[in-house]
Amino acid sequence: MLTFQLTPVPDITTDRLVLRQIHHGDASEILYLRGHPSLMHFIPRPRAASIEDAKELIDRFLKLAEQNEAINWGITLKGEDKVIGVIGYVKLNAAAHRAEVGYMLHDGYHGKGIIREALAAVLHHGFETYRLHSVEAIIDPVNVASEKVLNHAGFVKEGFFREAQYFEGQYLDISVYTLLTPFRNKQDNGK
């Protein structure tokens, strides 16, 4: 079984981005992301309605990291500290060496390859640092943009589950995608 040490939340840097810990100073950006109807359309979670809701969500992110249960990074552009998105391992399963990744991006930054870049960095970090064997993503089957991001990253569609989630009085379909570690041989030889 793996042991995760998620705090302090490390910065991850890419060519264009800095992924960093989210803090209360980011509450207005988190409110925009988690409160915007079109951004939350494919995310079956209650929408944030106030700065207090955003701060409670940030507190939950911090607590989950402290408990080594989940880790989220704020996506920022290099040289700018404004959070334009969130990405992270929203569930960690130490016994299975597996995690679930989730992400969202401000609508003003769609179509620029930002999530692809952030996802590649988070996957590398998860496989290299946390020694994950596999990462899954659970998406709404009609979320074509997310499907393209996952396909580009090398994920394989493992299944389609009808009415597998229940949210706000509706049963929702889901698609599950999985990516196995590129370090498989290195991990297997280390047993």
Side-chain angles (χ1 to χ4, degrees):
M1 180 153 72
L2 294 178
T3 303
F4 299 114
Q5 180 58 50
L6 304 179
T7 56
V9 174
D11 286 354
I12 300 175
T13 304
T14 70
D15 289 342
R16 297 182 294 165
L17 309 173
V18 175
L19 311 181
R20 63 157 176 83
Q21 182 169 326
I22 300 167
H23 50 73
H24 280 181
D26 303 316
S28 62
E29 288 84 7
I30 297 299
L31 174 59
Y32 181 84
L33 292 167
R34 291 297 294 258
H36 197 286
S38 67
L39 295 178
M40 291 296 291
H41 179 73
F42 295 119
I43 301 174
R45 302 282 183 279
R47 288 200 333 246
S50 66
I51 288 291
E52 290 75 27
D53 288 350
K55 287 180 178 176
E56 286 176 15
L57 183 60
I58 292 166
D59 287 339
R60 194 168 342 135
F61 288 163
L62 297 172
K63 184 175 181 181
L64 288 169
E66 288 171 5
Q67 295 172 337
N68 295 312
E69 295 178 17
I71 185 169
N72 287 281
W73 289 270
I75 302 170
T76 67
L77 297 174
K78 272 187 177 173
E80 300 178 24
D81 197 44
K82 180 182 174 187
V83 170
I84 60 170
V86 176
I87 190 165
Y89 291 115
V90 297
K91 290 182 189 167
L92 291 161
N93 182 338
H97 300 216
R98 190 172 176 91
E100 179 186 338
V101 70
Y103 44 81
M104 66 185 315
L105 185 66
H106 187 291
D107 51 324
Y109 297 89
H110 288 180
K112 300 179 188 305
I114 290 172
I115 287 295
R116 283 184 180 185
E117 189 172 329
L119 179 60
V122 166
L123 291 171
H124 184 268
H125 183 78
F127 290 134
E128 186 73 24
T129 303
Y130 303 144
R131 308 306 296 162
L132 295 172
H133 176 73
S134 60
V135 175
E136 72 181 9
I138 298 172
I139 66 168
D140 185 314
V142 297
N143 188 344
V144 176
S146 194
E147 180 182 38
K148 286 180 183 178
V149 166
L150 295 171
N151 287 333
H152 183 266
F155 280 74
V156 173
K157 185 175 182 179
E158 299 285 350
F160 170 83
F161 299 91
R162 295 183 315 161
E163 300 184 359
Q165 291 183 341
Y166 185 77
F167 180 68
E168 293 185 341
Q170 294 184 356
Y171 291 97
L172 307 174
D173 298 338
I174 62 170
S175 291
V176 178
Y177 289 76
T178 301
L179 179 66
L180 298 179
T181 178
F183 305 115
R184 186 178 183 131
N185 291 336
K186 205 187 308 182
Q187 286 182 348
D188 290 345
N189 292 336
K191 287 182 181 178

